[in-house]
Amino acid sequence: IGGPEGDTLYCAESTRAHRVNRLQLSAKSARTAADPGVGRPAVSVRRPWASRQTAMGGLGEADGELQDPQDLCLHGDELYVAEWGNHRISVFDKTSLAFLRHIGCGDEDGSEGGEGGSGPGQLDQPCGVACAGEEVFVCDTWNHRISVFDRSSGAFLRSFGRRGGEPGEFNYPCGIEIAHGRIYVTERTGKRLQALSLEGEPLQVLPAPCDGWLYGICLDAHDQLWVTSSNRHCVHILSVADPNADATR
């Protein structure tokens, strides 16, 4: 969610549409429940709550085209899109949705389409993206690692992690969020949430409740992490502590 008053919603459509929508939220609409009468279940009534302003993308490999967009990140005036199918991060202007540049690439010849790669700066089906300062952190899902790039130039900086079950290792990392100088990464088949430093030092491991596959992750304005469990069909809410806060307050 972005915009000057938090009134703009960006939504990725992965299957079939392969696009990103920008929606204008409406303060006058709501989801209400109507009582149809005694002895009958309540019925949810959906009212329009957002209108689409514009969209960009469409299936393809060219600049501005997308293939299976999975995750979005707003940073400054830019929108970052993790493309599972094109093995890259595409960057757009958040207002006009004009294409700006790519970060990362797929196979060994440096092209964005085709097969994923495992070399430095190459990505294989990335599912998550987050920014901190001048760095872009990418869940390089099928390489079981986090890859880090320079935000402006797209230059590869470092990566950390490998496939495994120890702290600092990953088993299909899918979602990533950054708060108070820490990285939070969800693992699908690893079934856990990890907290790490920006350099990749493991700090904490939380097993998934209900033994679920963890996927998407989002930080709200109240320092709460919202984490989706794809196979348990639920959302977990966790509180995030600021490690720099005065513990005596």
Side-chain angles (χ1 to χ4, degrees):
I1 297 179
E5 299 179 0
D7 56 356
T8 305
L9 175 67
Y10 295 84
C11 178
E13 290 187 79
S14 178
T15 305
R16 295 185 180 179
H18 305 279
R19 67 186 179 190
V20 172
N21 295 302
R22 190 177 69 208
L23 307 172
Q24 184 69 38
L25 300 180
S26 171
K28 298 180 180 180
S29 59
R31 179 179 178 179
T32 61
D35 182 6
V38 178
R40 299 177 62 186
V43 176
S44 294
V45 178
R46 293 182 181 271
R47 297 178 179 175
W49 59 271
S51 58
R52 190 169 74 182
Q53 292 179 314
T54 187
M56 55 79 173
L59 179 61
E61 301 175 2
D63 293 351
E65 294 179 336
L66 302 172
Q67 185 173 348
D68 297 309
Q70 295 289 307
D71 192 25
L72 306 175
C73 173
L74 285 170
H75 190 76
D77 294 327
E78 296 180 335
L79 174 68
Y80 295 75
V81 183
E83 289 189 69
W84 183 86
N86 280 330
H87 314 289
R88 67 190 182 191
I89 305 300
S90 286
V91 187
F92 300 84
D93 181 273
K94 76 173 186 180
T95 302
S96 67
L97 297 186
F99 172 78
L100 299 177
R101 61 190 181 278
H102 293 140
I103 294 176
C105 64
D107 51 22
E108 295 183 358
D109 65 4
S111 62
E112 289 83 9
E115 299 296 324
S118 59
Q122 296 175 351
L123 302 173
D124 194 351
Q125 299 181 1
C127 286
V129 59
C131 294
E134 293 302 311
E135 295 184 333
V136 180
F137 294 76
V138 181
C139 276
D140 193 359
T141 304
W142 282 68
N143 282 323
H144 309 282
R145 67 189 181 190
I146 305 299
S147 291
V148 188
F149 300 85
D150 182 85
R151 190 171 69 88
S152 299
S153 68
F156 172 72
L157 300 177
R158 63 188 182 278
S159 65
F160 49 85
R162 61 181 181 181
R163 188 170 191 175
E166 295 298 319
E169 298 177 339
F170 303 103
N171 203 340
Y172 293 99
C174 287
I176 186 168
E177 185 61 273
I178 299 175
H180 305 302
R182 292 183 175 182
I183 305 170
Y184 296 87
V185 180
T186 61
E187 296 178 64
R188 190 181 68 186
T189 53
K191 301 179 182 179
R192 61 184 185 175
L193 171 70
Q194 288 200 62
L196 308 100
S197 72
L198 295 179
E199 298 301 322
E201 176 188 359
L203 303 173
Q204 187 177 7
V205 177
L206 295 175
C210 307
D211 195 39
W213 292 0
L214 301 185
Y215 202 91
I217 184 170
C218 178
L219 181 74
D220 68 16
H222 305 289
D223 274 350
Q224 295 182 129
L225 287 173
W226 296 63
V227 180
T228 63
S229 178
S230 59
N231 67 327
R232 295 299 181 183
H233 313 289
C234 63
V235 176
H236 307 293
I237 305 174
L238 301 91
S239 296
V240 177
D242 183 354
N244 301 313
D246 186 352
T248 63
R249 290 188 296 174

